[in-house]
């Protein structure tokens, strides 16, 4: 019952000090999901680009093989090691001319650049919104001060009338 009859006490005219703008901006940017998503997308594209670049590089492969063969027609005779077989192979390949991989690399570079521009625009937008909010809060502070003056003036007039 006591909880129902109680009311919170608010000081409508108390204006807390604002944290430094640089610190607040850093917190907003580091906590932004949109910024984080764009940064992750850029990292994913960088990995894809690295894969396409590796496809354009030369390859040198070494293949080794070994086997043993038996001569017998029966099961027990076929397990003998009569003919060992060894093989060694080297393969070199180098992509020639313009390939799909180089086109994909260029396309990925453009996508990365586009995402970086989007990231810069998003950060700029967040900073702009934060600065606008700070300006509004400063204006609110002056409105609150004027309002306090009006309340004090009204209280003085009421005391004159009452007293």
């Amino acid at each position: 019952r006591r909880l129902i009859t109680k009311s919170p006490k608010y000081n409508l005219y108390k204006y807390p000090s604002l944290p430094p703008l640089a610190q607040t901006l850093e917190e907003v940017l580091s906590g932004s999901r949109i910024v984080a998503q764009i940064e992750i997308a850029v990292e994913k594209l960088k990995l894809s680009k690295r894969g396409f670049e590796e496809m354009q590089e030369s390859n040198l492969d070494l293949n080794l093989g070994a086997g043993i063969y038996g001569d017998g027609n029966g099961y027990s005779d076929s397990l003998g090691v009569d003919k060992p077989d060894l093989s060694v192979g080297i393969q070199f390949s180098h992509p020639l001319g313009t390939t799909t991989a180089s086109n994909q690399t260029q396309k990925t570079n453009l996508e990365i650049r586009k995402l970086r521009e989007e990231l810069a625009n998003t950060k700029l937008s967040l900073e702009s919104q934060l600065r606008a909010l700070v300006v509004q809060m400063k204006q609110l502070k002056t409105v609150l001060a004027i309002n306090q003056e009006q309340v004090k003036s009204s209280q003085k007039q009421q005391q004159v009338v009452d007293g």
Side-chain angles (χ1 to χ4, degrees), residues 17-30:
S17 62
L18 296 174
L21 185 62
Q23 174 188 350
T24 306
L25 181 60
E26 181 64 32
E27 289 176 14
V28 167
L29 292 178
S30 66

Side-chain angles (χ1 to χ4, degrees), residues 23-138:
Q23 174 188 350
T24 306
L25 181 60
E26 181 64 32
E27 289 176 14
V28 167
L29 292 178
S30 66
S32 172
R33 290 183 309 211
I34 296 172
V35 169
Q37 287 174 346
I38 295 172
E39 289 173 344
I40 289 170
V42 167
E43 289 304 314
K44 286 171 59 177
L45 285 174
K46 284 181 181 178
L47 289 174
S48 294
K49 176 185 168 191
R50 181 67 191 134
F52 294 133
E53 288 171 345
E54 285 180 3
M55 290 171 61
Q56 295 173 354
E57 295 175 357
S58 301
N59 290 321
L60 180 63
D61 296 322
L62 175 64
N63 298 316
L64 300 173
I68 51 175
Y69 301 100
D71 252 357
N73 291 333
Y75 180 72
S76 62
D77 293 337
S78 68
L79 293 178
V81 183
D82 293 340
K83 297 180 183 176
D85 183 29
L86 299 172
S87 65
V88 175
I90 294 178
Q91 179 181 0
F92 177 77
S93 63
H94 181 75
L96 300 174
T98 304
T99 63
T100 303
S102 64
N103 292 338
Q104 289 293 335
T105 302
Q106 291 174 357
K107 179 183 173 188
T108 306
N109 281 337
L110 291 174
E111 290 174 359
I112 289 172
R113 198 167 85 199
K114 179 181 172 187
L115 280 176
R116 284 185 176 153
E117 288 176 11
E118 184 179 341
L119 179 63
N121 288 338
T122 301
K123 287 181 177 182
L124 185 63
S125 174
L126 288 172
E127 181 178 357
S128 171
Q129 291 172 11
L130 180 65
R131 289 183 185 274
L133 184 61
V134 168
V135 167
Q136 288 176 348
M137 292 180 78
K138 287 180 179 178

